[in-house]
Amino acid sequence: FSCEALGTYKENTNDVIAECAGYEEDHPMAGFTPKKDVRTLSKVDLDILAVDQLLKFPSTNQNELAQLYFKYGKAAEIDDDDFGFQLMSLHDMTQPTDEQQWSPYYNDYVEYFGREKNDDSAIMKAFNDKDADAEQRHAFIVSWMRYNVVPEYMMSLVGYSLQLCQEDVEVSGPEYWDAFAALYIGSMEGSKSSNANEDGLMLWSIANNRARQFNTQNDQFTAKANDEITDLLFAGQSELERKDCVNFEKTASRVLHLMLVPLIQSTIYYAIINENLDRDSTDESLAIGEALAYSLLPIVSKYDKKAGAVIERNMVRTRGVKPVAEGPQVVANAFYKILDDIGFGCEYIGQHDGIDACEEFDGVILKANKSVPFAPSTTTIIVGLASAIWGIF
């Protein structure tokens, strides 16, 4: 349909809603204005939504249509024009590329899971598991896409932006920086940060929802972490444009670790819920909690293996073992042990239902005012990748 065919709602009245129009390249996303058109990439959340809906239907072929959305993507095809990134699927994000290996935690994920492409393997194994409880299987697949596939790819975009800044190449980092923002915010949010969509699927929406539960929201009832991330996104744009790589490294590290806040809060949230379930429960929250834990375990284990072991044995499903057997406070305490390592403190985590990640506060003030060293895991760069994605050369 054309905008002209749809027309204007209640024209010449006080309730008029203007006719739809074209989409500007720098259209704001939740208060952030990209310099590059990343609308297509932001629509990955619509593919996750499609998978979520399709998995609700009974299937005799392992939900083949949902698998197609995962493997090939669909949402981006509704764009008539070329918006920067070429069509990308969630499956594409799981494949090891030179770009992905610029994530500072790439090697830690490979080491923890013992293989590359673990996200792809985990999702396809779940799709093909005929014996799994249908609701848990559904929840696990969607949660792994939301909390593992997309965030891990986002980490690589941050690392690649920094590398492009430091290298003397024609391709600059803002494209990848804006792509990170598009994936953090998604396509379901409005143009203003205050118009939060509670049903959004990306980390921006998750952060807002958890902030209200953990009392870490601002006066507009959105996440304080999102406020800082928005400021950092604008700062990063400016630093990349003027090749201020020293300051951009600090900004990149700060953003990369702040994006972990909603994942940490969500893991604690599901630890609280799952503590009340029996060992043989098939509740979907067990699968969600497990996917969330796995999104963070490689990073936690990097800094404190004992803390990682605590989270793993309480949040990862094991047949015959009661979920969160040691209690949600023990899980929260394990995250406290690494807060200083990842550069932020208790004010962003908060507390929920009596569970406080800073219960073990020992007088050492952890404040969200530092950035940890940013060390991508590879030492060479293949600039041709930028040509494949952006068509710049």
Side-chain angles (χ1 to χ4, degrees):
F1 297 97
S2 68
C3 290
E4 183 179 4
L6 291 174
T8 302
Y9 178 74
K10 292 190 176 182
E11 191 172 9
N12 300 321
T13 71
N14 292 332
D15 297 324
V16 62
I17 296 178
E19 178 183 302
C20 62
Y23 184 93
E24 298 296 329
E25 180 177 295
D26 57 352
H27 187 75
M29 300 183 297
F32 173 70
T33 305
K35 295 293 182 71
K36 300 293 181 179
D37 196 334
V38 288
R39 178 170 69 144
T40 295
L41 189 61
S42 75
K43 291 180 179 178
V44 167
D45 57 3
L46 299 182
D47 285 334
I48 299 176
L49 181 61
V51 172
D52 182 33
Q53 297 303 311
L54 289 168
L55 286 173
K56 294 178 180 179
F57 293 92
S59 173
T60 58
N61 59 2
Q62 288 78 55
N63 299 97
E64 186 175 2
L65 189 55
Q67 289 189 46
L68 292 175
Y69 269 90
F70 167 65
K71 291 178 180 179
Y72 305 109
K74 174 65 178 177
E77 289 186 359
I78 66 176
D79 289 326
D80 294 328
D81 301 312
D82 180 16
F83 291 99
F85 267 93
Q86 295 176 5
L87 182 64
M88 174 177 286
S89 69
L90 289 155
H91 174 264
D92 290 336
M93 292 182 179
T94 69
Q95 302 306 299
T97 63
D98 296 294
E99 174 191 86
Q100 277 199 322
Q101 294 176 34
W102 284 109
S103 165
Y105 290 116
Y106 178 82
N107 286 339
D108 299 301
Y109 277 85
V110 173
E111 179 180 352
Y112 181 86
F113 291 111
R115 59 186 175 186
E116 293 184 310
K117 300 195 295 185
N118 180 71
D119 291 339
D120 183 41
S121 299
I123 289 172
M124 293 309 301
K125 180 180 178 181
F127 267 123
N128 294 320
D129 189 353
K130 299 179 181 179
D131 298 323
D133 175 81
E135 289 188 1
Q136 283 197 339
R137 174 175 169 272
H138 174 179
F140 182 82
I141 291 171
V142 174
S143 297
W144 201 280
M145 292 177 185
R146 294 178 67 188
Y147 307 132
N148 295 269
V149 174
V150 176
E152 287 175 43
Y153 186 74
M154 289 165 60
M155 293 179 191
S156 70
L157 293 174
V158 174
Y160 198 57
S161 297
L162 175 61
Q163 182 60 25
L164 289 174
C165 182
Q166 294 172 336
E167 292 287 326
D168 185 19
V169 294
E170 293 183 26
V171 183
S172 60
E175 293 94 337
Y176 295 90
W177 188 247
D178 285 353
F180 169 89
L183 290 174
Y184 183 82
I185 297 169
S187 69
M188 299 184 191
E189 307 297 332
S191 61
K192 298 179 180 179
S193 60
S194 59
N195 296 336
N197 179 5
E198 293 185 1
D199 297 324
L201 298 178
M202 307 309 250
L203 290 178
W204 174 274
S205 180
I206 298 167
N208 285 335
N209 290 333
R210 294 291 173 254
R212 290 187 281 272
Q213 295 162 335
F214 282 76
N215 195 28
T216 54
Q217 75 271 33
N218 58 26
D219 293 339
Q220 296 178 318
F221 304 104
T222 56
K224 293 178 181 178
N226 281 347
D227 288 345
E228 183 174 346
I229 282 184
T230 300
D231 291 341
L232 291 168
L233 289 173
F234 280 116
Q237 270 186 344
S238 176
E239 290 157 357
L240 286 169
E241 287 181 336
R242 64 177 187 268
K243 288 283 188 177
D244 182 2
C245 303
V246 173
N247 283 315
F248 178 70
E249 181 174 359
K250 299 174 184 177
T251 299
S253 175
R254 184 82 183 129
V255 162
L256 186 145
H257 292 98
L258 272 176
M259 65 175 270
L260 302 180
V261 169
L263 295 174
I264 292 174
Q265 290 177 320
S266 294
T267 306
I268 296 172
Y269 176 81
Y270 278 96
I272 295 170
I273 293 176
N274 294 345
E275 180 193 24
N276 299 316
L277 300 176
D278 297 328
R279 66 186 64 195
D280 297 323
S281 172
T282 57
D283 195 286
E284 65 177 18
S285 65
L286 292 173
I288 299 172
E290 179 177 328
L292 281 161
Y294 275 135
S295 74
L296 294 161
L297 276 168
I299 298 175
V300 175
S301 298
K302 172 186 176 69
Y303 295 112
D304 192 318
K305 292 189 182 300
K306 291 183 179 179
V310 168
I311 296 169
E312 183 175 325
R313 66 175 176 259
N314 281 277
M315 298 303 296
V316 175
R317 291 172 292 172
T318 303
R319 182 171 297 178
V321 177
K322 187 184 184 307
V324 198
E326 296 170 81
Q329 186 60 61
V330 172
V331 174
N333 292 343
F335 282 117
Y336 174 78
K337 296 181 184 301
I338 63 132
L339 289 186
D340 197 46
D341 292 302
I342 59 179
F344 59 81
C346 300
E347 66 268 36
Y348 280 149
I349 301 299
Q351 54 183 295
H352 175 64
D353 201 18
I355 303 301
D356 185 355
C358 292
E359 183 190 58
E360 291 189 342
F361 177 71
D362 57 4
V364 178
I365 298 176
L366 298 181
K367 283 291 184 180
N369 59 3
K370 58 182 271 189
S371 59
V372 299
F374 196 88
S377 58
T378 55
T379 56
T380 60
I381 188 169
I382 299 180
V383 180
L385 178 66
S387 173
I389 296 181
W390 288 95
I392 291 175
F393 297 143

